[in-house]
Amino acid sequence: MQQIAIPPEDEISKTLQIIENKEHDPNHLVKLLQEIQSELGYVPENAQRLIARKMNTPMSQIYGILSFYNFFRLFPPGRHRVTVCLGTACYVKGSRNILKEITSRYELEAGQTTSDRRFSLDIVRCVGCCAIGPVMTVDDKVYGRMKPEKVKTVLREHR
Ligand code: FES
């Protein structure tokens, strides 16, 4: 999946469009943030500030929501979405070591994007391929029976 970067001014105008159509009710913040992420690929800080102002809500409350739910992204998505499954079946087969290899090799944590915007990394909890765990995915492709030493080869396929 190839992601296209959205200029910051477009992020603002898209955020405004989404906010304009909503009730200014803090109880709907999660849904609103989800809509923004679905439109922009993440929830930029500019959007957070706009929401805080328009909905008369403290930034700390917005940040609290964004950090509580691990599906929210605070960074722009990379060209390729990498996930590591930490569901039980994969975890017991060593998926933590796959995650550790990616985080140390590419210097990124789950929820982040590499500085060259090549990869975003997320943790998932079962992709339905438990029999071939530990599993990682890149975009829509599933890589089973992963080992830390195979990570470099897999990621090299995705420029
Ligand atoms: S637990 Fe990893 S695919 Fe099911």
Side-chain angles (χ1 to χ4, degrees):
M1 172 177 41
Q2 185 84 18
Q3 292 282 342
I4 309 236
I6 300 171
E9 58 276 10
D10 289 354
E11 289 178 347
I12 298 286
S13 69
K14 283 177 190 250
T15 301
L16 277 170
Q17 281 171 17
I18 292 168
I19 293 173
E20 291 309 321
N21 299 327
K22 293 286 165 301
E23 285 177 52
H24 290 192
D25 180 350
N27 295 323
H28 297 139
L29 271 176
V30 174
K31 193 167 186 296
L32 178 62
L33 292 166
Q34 281 177 312
E35 277 186 54
I36 287 168
Q37 175 156 300
S38 139
E39 182 68 33
L40 303 176
Y42 75 119
V43 185
E45 193 175 328
N46 282 339
Q48 295 171 40
R49 290 190 190 289
L50 259 177
I51 293 166
R53 195 163 2 118
K54 292 268 184 192
M55 301 195 86
N56 199 22
T57 303
M59 277 291 282
S60 59
Q61 186 179 346
I62 292 169
Y63 189 75
I65 292 169
L66 293 172
S67 50
F68 181 80
Y69 295 102
N70 66 6
F71 51 79
F72 282 122
R73 302 192 64 81
L74 302 181
F75 299 91
R79 294 189 298 282
H80 303 287
R81 181 179 186 233
V82 177
T83 72
V84 176
C85 179
L86 293 186
T88 306
C90 288
Y91 190 90
V92 298
K93 292 177 187 168
S95 60
R96 267 261 168 233
N97 295 328
I98 310 300
L99 181 64
K100 200 167 150 197
E101 173 68 14
I102 297 170
T103 56
S104 61
R105 178 174 289 279
Y106 293 92
E107 295 181 355
L108 83 158
E109 298 296 325
Q112 294 184 346
T113 300
T114 52
S115 54
D116 60 1
R117 306 250 340 238
R118 185 172 161 203
F119 298 119
S120 301
L121 176 63
D122 288 308
I123 290 169
V124 292
R125 310 276 172 192
C126 194
V127 293
C129 303
C130 310
I132 58 166
V135 163
M136 70 179 273
T137 68
V138 182
D139 302 327
D140 296 329
K141 193 164 177 186
V142 176
Y143 295 87
R145 298 189 178 86
M146 278 301 298
K147 296 181 185 322
E149 53 271 25
K150 286 164 66 177
V151 165
K152 185 177 174 188
T153 308
V154 165
L155 294 183
R156 208 187 283 147
E157 294 171 21
H158 304 273
R159 291 281 152 198

